[in-house]
């Protein structure tokens, strides 16, 4: 971004109300005709700038942009996010990441982060729609894991821990993990994870870790049914957060845990997951492909499967399914 464009951004940031092209050109002593060009560059860099004919330009605040440039400012990882592909708007970051993997070499893409300002076709587990308006953190991390296929769920566990820890450390909010892949604040969901795999037998071609965090999402922008069950970091704090910095903290927290997994150590991740679980010791209703039942969630095993004690004393192991707290 050039110096003048940065100055235009500063003016927009300090303006509470819309500001005209004439006001910008006068305060910077630049031709009025060049203002539109700087605005275009700022929009391309991920800034959301509204324009109305009568009143001028207004920067829509979203806790800062979540572009490659902004993320790069606080990124402290060696591998995770070493390459960033930003889309202002995309169907799904998982689709964009999958396209990169099918067109290129997944091993060379390990650590690449696809991130978007908004998603028009975001999806979650079981193909459910994932509402992804502006203000959230919508990202997919490409991984080429060396972890055995039957232990790959530990990647979801490490990522849930990374999000919960980042929210706790940065904002002092009591984020907890709900099995299998959600992060909650109180009784509301604030983030979800989606792992998509491409495997051939025991070989993992690639793993896409989809990360959705309702960072600065305005809850009133969500459909009414979601408003009852979803929260955002902004809603909890009463003010916006710096999304790029939250994302880089998540990446840092994830990288350290991923290294532990890659070294073959699973116990520290499972232990930490248990310490931040809101599911264990709770009465839950489980729905799998084959059956629905209730019981107490008593443990998780070394692969992340949930262990349930049913009322008749029978122990069930749940590898995949929906878990509802009762
Ligand atoms: C869930 O809770 O069901 C998982 C939600 C995962 C949403 C993220 S947002 C970024 C990535 N792209 C998607 O389309 N989904 C994941």
């Amino acid at each position: 971004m050039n110096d003048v464009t940065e100055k235009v951004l500063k003016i927009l940031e300090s303006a509470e109300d819309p500001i005209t092209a004439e006001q910008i050109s006068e305060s910077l002593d630049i031709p009025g005709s060049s203002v539109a060009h700087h605005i275009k560059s700022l929009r391309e860099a991920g800034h959301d700038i509204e324009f109305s004919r009568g009143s001028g330009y207004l920067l829509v605040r979203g806790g800062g942009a979540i572009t490659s440039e902004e993320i790069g400012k606080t990124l402290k990882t060696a591998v995770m996010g070493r390459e960033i592909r930003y889309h202002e708007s995309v169907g799904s970051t998982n689709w964009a990441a999958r396209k990169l993997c099918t067109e290129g070499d997944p091993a060379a893409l390990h650590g690449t982060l696809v991130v978007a300002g908004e998603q028009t076709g975001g999806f979650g587990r079981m193909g459910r729609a994932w509402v992804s308006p502006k203000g959230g953190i919508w990202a997919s991390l490409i991984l080429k894991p060396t972890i055995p296929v039957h232990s790959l769920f530990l990647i979801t566990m490490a990522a849930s821990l990374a999000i919960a820890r980042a929210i706790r450390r940065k904002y002092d909010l009591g984020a907890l993990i709900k099995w299998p892949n959600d992060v909650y604040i109180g009784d509301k969901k604030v983030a979800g994870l989606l792992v998509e795999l491409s495997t051939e037998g025991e070989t993992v071609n690639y793993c896409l870790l989809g990360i959705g965090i309702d960072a600065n999402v305005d809850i009133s922008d969500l459909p009414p049914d979601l408003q009852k069950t979803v929260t955002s970091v902004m809603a909890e704090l009463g003010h916006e957060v710096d999304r790029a910095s939250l994302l880089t903290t998540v990446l840092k927290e994830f990288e350290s845990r991923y290294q532990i997994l890659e070294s073959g150590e699973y116990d520290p991740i499972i232990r930490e997951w248990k310490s931040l679980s809101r599911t264990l010791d709770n009465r839950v209703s489980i729905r799998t492909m084959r059956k629905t039942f209730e019981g107490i969630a008593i443990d998780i095993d070394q692969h992340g499967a949930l262990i349930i004690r049913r009322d008749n004393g029978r122990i069930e192991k749940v590898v995949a399914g929906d878990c509802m707290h009762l």
Side-chain angles (χ1 to χ4, degrees):
M1 191 183 299
N2 80 29
D3 281 2
V4 184
T5 308
E6 254 178 56
K7 284 182 186 154
V8 172
L9 177 60
K10 289 256 154 20
I11 291 178
L12 289 168
E13 279 172 344
S14 56
E16 291 287 320
D17 299 313
I19 179 161
T20 63
E22 291 72 44
Q23 288 170 306
I24 296 173
S25 73
E26 270 169 28
S27 62
L28 293 179
D29 199 16
I30 56 171
S33 56
S34 70
V35 172
H37 162 78
H38 295 294
I39 297 288
K40 184 167 176 276
S41 306
L42 288 170
R43 284 182 176 144
E44 280 165 3
H47 297 282
D48 191 1
I49 300 166
E50 285 177 353
F51 176 72
S52 66
R53 217 164 259 290
S55 37
Y57 296 103
L58 180 69
L59 182 69
V60 179
R61 286 158 176 84
I66 193 152
T67 55
S68 321
E69 198 183 4
E70 284 303 314
I71 296 168
K73 284 182 189 166
T74 53
L75 190 66
K76 292 193 186 75
T77 48
V79 175
M80 303 303 165
R82 64 191 171 81
E83 175 80 33
I84 296 168
R85 307 288 176 97
Y86 168 77
H87 299 261
E88 202 176 326
S89 179
V90 75
S92 156
T93 53
N94 265 45
W95 293 340
R98 199 187 305 150
K99 187 162 184 283
L100 288 175
C101 289
T102 50
E103 288 170 356
D105 170 13
L109 289 162
H110 178 68
T112 298
L113 185 79
V114 179
V115 62
E118 67 174 346
Q119 295 185 121
T120 52
F123 62 98
R125 285 177 67 238
M126 324 262 183
R128 292 176 190 133
W130 179 263
V131 184
S132 325
K134 285 178 182 164
I137 296 177
W138 320 125
S140 299
L141 196 53
I142 299 175
L143 303 169
K144 172 81 180 160
T146 57
I147 302 161
V149 177
H150 59 269
S151 297
L152 285 175
F153 184 69
L154 288 159
I155 292 181
T156 305
M157 294 173 77
S160 323
L161 280 169
I163 296 174
R165 282 284 179 224
I167 291 176
R168 285 171 164 261
R169 295 217 160 110
K170 285 184 83 68
Y171 315 117
D172 203 18
L173 292 169
L176 290 174
I177 303 165
K178 174 175 169 283
W179 188 91
N181 66 334
D182 299 336
V183 179
Y184 271 62
I185 299 176
D187 58 0
K188 292 189 170 165
K189 178 163 167 170
V190 69
L193 291 154
L194 175 74
V195 164
E196 276 193 85
L197 294 173
S198 161
T199 57
E200 277 166 61
E202 288 299 302
T203 309
V204 185
N205 297 327
Y206 58 84
C207 165
L208 306 177
L209 176 64
I211 301 169
I213 308 176
D214 289 316
N216 292 331
V217 168
D218 187 339
I219 300 302
S220 62
D221 285 347
L222 299 177
D225 56 322
L226 285 184
Q227 291 185 19
K228 295 186 203 112
T229 55
V230 169
T231 190
S232 65
V233 181
M234 177 173 82
E236 295 296 320
L237 293 175
H239 61 79
E240 287 173 349
V241 294
D242 182 333
R243 285 176 302 158
S245 146
L246 172 54
L247 179 57
T248 57
T249 307
V250 169
L251 291 174
K252 183 81 185 149
E253 297 283 345
F254 178 67
E255 183 165 281
S256 58
R257 288 169 182 82
Y258 188 82
Q259 280 165 353
I260 295 173
L261 292 178
E262 292 268 79
S263 73
E265 289 272 321
Y266 303 160
D267 279 356
I269 303 301
I270 292 172
R271 264 202 310 276
E272 192 187 6
W273 191 96
K274 286 182 185 179
S275 75
L276 284 186
S277 161
R278 78 183 290 269
T279 298
L280 293 186
D281 300 330
N282 264 288
R283 187 164 182 82
V284 294
S285 168
I286 299 290
R287 200 175 63 209
T288 69
M289 300 275 265
R290 288 183 298 121
K291 57 185 177 184
T292 300
F293 60 91
E294 289 184 13
I296 307 289
I298 54 170
D299 206 356
I300 48 163
D301 74 5
Q302 73 273 29
H303 305 304
L306 192 62
I307 312 295
I308 307 289
R309 189 178 54 234
R310 292 178 70 159
D311 297 342
N312 60 9
R314 193 167 149 185
I315 303 294
E316 302 263 4
K317 184 159 101 173
V318 189
V319 178
D322 272 337
C323 168
M324 208 174 76
H325 286 213
L326 298 172

